[in-house]
Amino acid sequence: MIQQTTGPGAVQEQHRDMPEMIDRFGRRITYVRISVTDRCDLRCVYCMNDDMQFVPRSQLLTLEEITRIGRAFVDLGVTKIRITGGEPLVRRDVLNVFEGLGNYPGLTDLAVTTNGTQLTRHAAALKTAGVTRVNISLDSLRPERFRAITRVGNLRQTLDGIDAARAAGFRRIKINSVILKHRNHDEVRDLVQFAIERSIDISFIEEMPLGIIGERDRAEAYYSSNAILTDLSPHFDLIPTTESSGGPSRYYRIPGSASRVGFISPHSHNFCDHCNRVRLTAEGRLLLCLGQEHSVDLRKVVRAHPDDDAPLYRAIIESLRIKPRGHEFDLAARPVIFRHMNVTGG
Ligand code: SAM
Ligand code: SF4
């Protein structure tokens, strides 16, 4: 399908006979997030309930199906794939997916989002497989808080994972921190300092109302990106940039440092107009929007046509007709989206 590349994993110059992935609002889809599992070794309070039901393994896409669908997206013009979950690195043999996509012609960016607990084991192999960027979630630098937010986690394990990622030499490493009022909002300065000392990026994320998470009130825990900026400004010279990593982060540079500070602000700074992405759940449901339920079952398509990709291409292109204009998150309301982030593939 691909007419020309300039080398393994290089920029795809043309897909002459392929339709384009453009939705009805003129947005071009170039980025897919693929969840390889909804399971996880942590239970972050904003992501999961403490008694989660996970998808039976028999209903998951196989690793081969995931790779096949990922490659189909690239054939249609996607240049960036992020593997996520759940915790992607707890799925057995998940490296096969990275190896199957890493050098696929046309894919310029293969990224992973992880909680870091398995990185000491996997970082070097991920790099060899062609992973370019690693996002690692870290909400607190204090062991007892880290434990409280993740319910079961050990801070040391994630910090060792960050060191392993740095040693492996990825193109970019970024910390993701969900900031919650009265839980960790007083740590934003320390987290930025942590990133600067390691020459890695950091993004602060506003909590999104995905799924019911017990008794905690999400509206009460809301801490806006603007509040974080105000907290940081006495300590760091933050210069706004127009740089993008292909996602919804707005970035700031700090003079004299290699680190960028990003903000993902679904509430205070809606990013839907520039949406360039879709998401695939571990069961093979193609979600057209993080904050809406519009979806198409790609598992059915690949299983009905094991040797022919044409129906898969068609299903992907047709799905764009139902991609909604944007999310309608409202922290004060009961969640309108009942799937949790671990199902969505954050
Ligand atoms: N387990 C991996 C991790 O934690 O990085 C990957 C999956 S996790 C669902 C992806 C990202 O979503 C993490 O950075 C996490 O902090 C974020 N996240 C989870 N639930 C969220 C929520 N309700 N609102 C905002 N971000 C959330
Ligand atoms: Fe697991 Fe990531 Fe969700 Fe935390 S945010 S519970 S690490 S999937």
Side-chain angles (χ1 to χ4, degrees):
M1 288 309 152
I2 295 157
Q3 305 298 320
Q4 247 181 314
T5 65
T6 51
V11 177
Q12 184 172 325
E13 291 175 7
Q14 230 170 354
H15 338 239
R16 262 178 227 129
D17 52 352
M18 298 298 265
E20 294 195 302
M21 289 188 65
I22 298 179
D23 78 357
R24 48 203 171 111
F25 304 105
R27 297 174 297 190
R28 185 183 293 274
I29 305 307
T30 55
Y31 182 6
V32 180
R33 292 189 169 218
I34 299 180
S35 170
V36 294
T37 178
D38 61 338
R39 289 165 199 256
C40 185
D41 52 349
L42 304 183
R43 293 284 182 277
C44 302
V45 292
Y46 45 74
C47 178
M48 292 197 187
N49 230 334
D50 36 15
D51 63 334
M52 294 288 290
Q53 297 271 339
F54 295 107
V55 174
R57 284 179 215 278
S58 59
Q59 288 181 27
L60 297 179
L61 289 176
T62 65
L63 298 175
E64 293 73 24
E65 287 167 341
I66 293 171
T67 307
R68 179 179 164 202
I69 295 174
R71 288 178 166 207
F73 274 108
V74 178
D75 293 344
L76 288 167
V78 159
T79 55
K80 178 171 176 178
I81 293 181
R82 177 173 296 282
I83 304 296
T84 181
E87 175 47 43
L89 301 184
V90 301
R91 178 143 181 198
R92 183 155 11 124
D93 296 330
V94 71
L95 279 174
N96 295 351
V97 171
F98 291 97
E99 284 161 0
L101 294 174
N103 284 319
Y104 194 63
L107 188 67
T108 53
D109 240 331
L110 177 60
V112 59
T113 302
T114 169
N115 61 29
T117 61
Q118 312 297 315
L119 275 176
T120 47
R121 274 199 302 143
H122 289 313
L126 290 170
K127 174 72 172 72
T128 306
V131 170
T132 49
R133 298 167 192 265
V134 180
N135 285 3
I136 305 168
S137 297
L138 175 71
D139 303 323
S140 175
L141 295 166
R142 303 183 197 176
E144 67 295 348
R145 270 196 188 177
F146 183 88
R147 166 64 59 101
I149 293 174
T150 59
R151 290 198 185 97
V152 291
N154 173 354
L155 175 63
R156 189 70 261 157
Q157 218 179 332
T158 290
L159 295 182
D160 288 347
I162 293 171
D163 286 343
R166 290 173 62 220
F170 295 104
R171 193 189 300 164
R172 269 215 114 100
I173 300 175
K174 183 166 73 118
I175 300 295
N176 276 343
S177 302
V178 175
I179 298 301
L180 306 175
K181 197 163 130 192
H182 304 313
R183 285 254 190 189
N184 62 349
H185 79 267
D186 55 349
E187 275 194 74
V188 293
R189 177 187 176 186
D190 292 348
L191 286 163
V192 171
Q193 194 58 43
F194 176 89
I196 290 174
E197 283 163 11
R198 287 159 184 77
S199 297
I200 58 183
D201 294 340
I202 181 162
S203 276
F204 293 110
I205 306 175
E206 290 178 350
E207 185 183 9
M208 297 170 224
L210 297 174
I212 293 177
I213 47 158
E215 293 313 301
R216 193 169 68 74
D217 182 344
R218 291 198 200 253
E220 222 168 79
Y222 176 59
Y223 202 72
S224 73
S225 298
N226 280 348
I228 299 171
L229 261 175
T230 306
D231 295 345
L232 293 177
S233 55
H235 309 290
F236 305 101
D237 197 8
L238 293 172
I239 315 290
T241 76
T242 52
E243 290 168 41
S244 161
S245 56
S249 266
R250 291 173 294 135
Y251 280 107
Y252 292 74
R253 283 240 170 234
I254 303 174
S257 147
S259 299
R260 298 179 302 176
V261 180
F263 293 90
I264 301 175
S265 325
H267 304 290
S268 57
H269 195 272
N270 185 300
F271 39 65
C272 300
D273 285 353
H274 305 290
C275 185
N276 60 353
R277 69 192 51 195
V278 291
R279 291 175 158 80
L280 184 69
T281 71
E283 293 167 280
R285 191 150 78 97
L286 180 65
L287 289 168
L288 283 313
C289 174
L290 174 66
Q292 305 274 4
E293 294 292 3
H294 306 64
S295 71
V296 169
D297 182 1
L298 292 187
R299 186 181 60 187
K300 204 160 95 189
V301 180
V302 290
R303 290 193 181 167
H305 305 278
D307 302 314
D308 178 10
D309 281 342
L312 177 58
Y313 294 138
R314 232 178 359 257
I316 293 172
I317 292 294
E318 280 170 15
S319 74
L320 296 184
R321 290 203 208 129
I322 58 164
K323 183 168 168 61
R325 187 185 284 276
H327 71 70
E328 287 154 19
F329 289 148
D330 178 357
L331 287 176
R334 296 289 290 163
V336 280
I337 299 297
F338 290 103
R339 71 189 134 70
H340 290 84
M341 191 62 129
N342 69 305
V343 174
T344 303

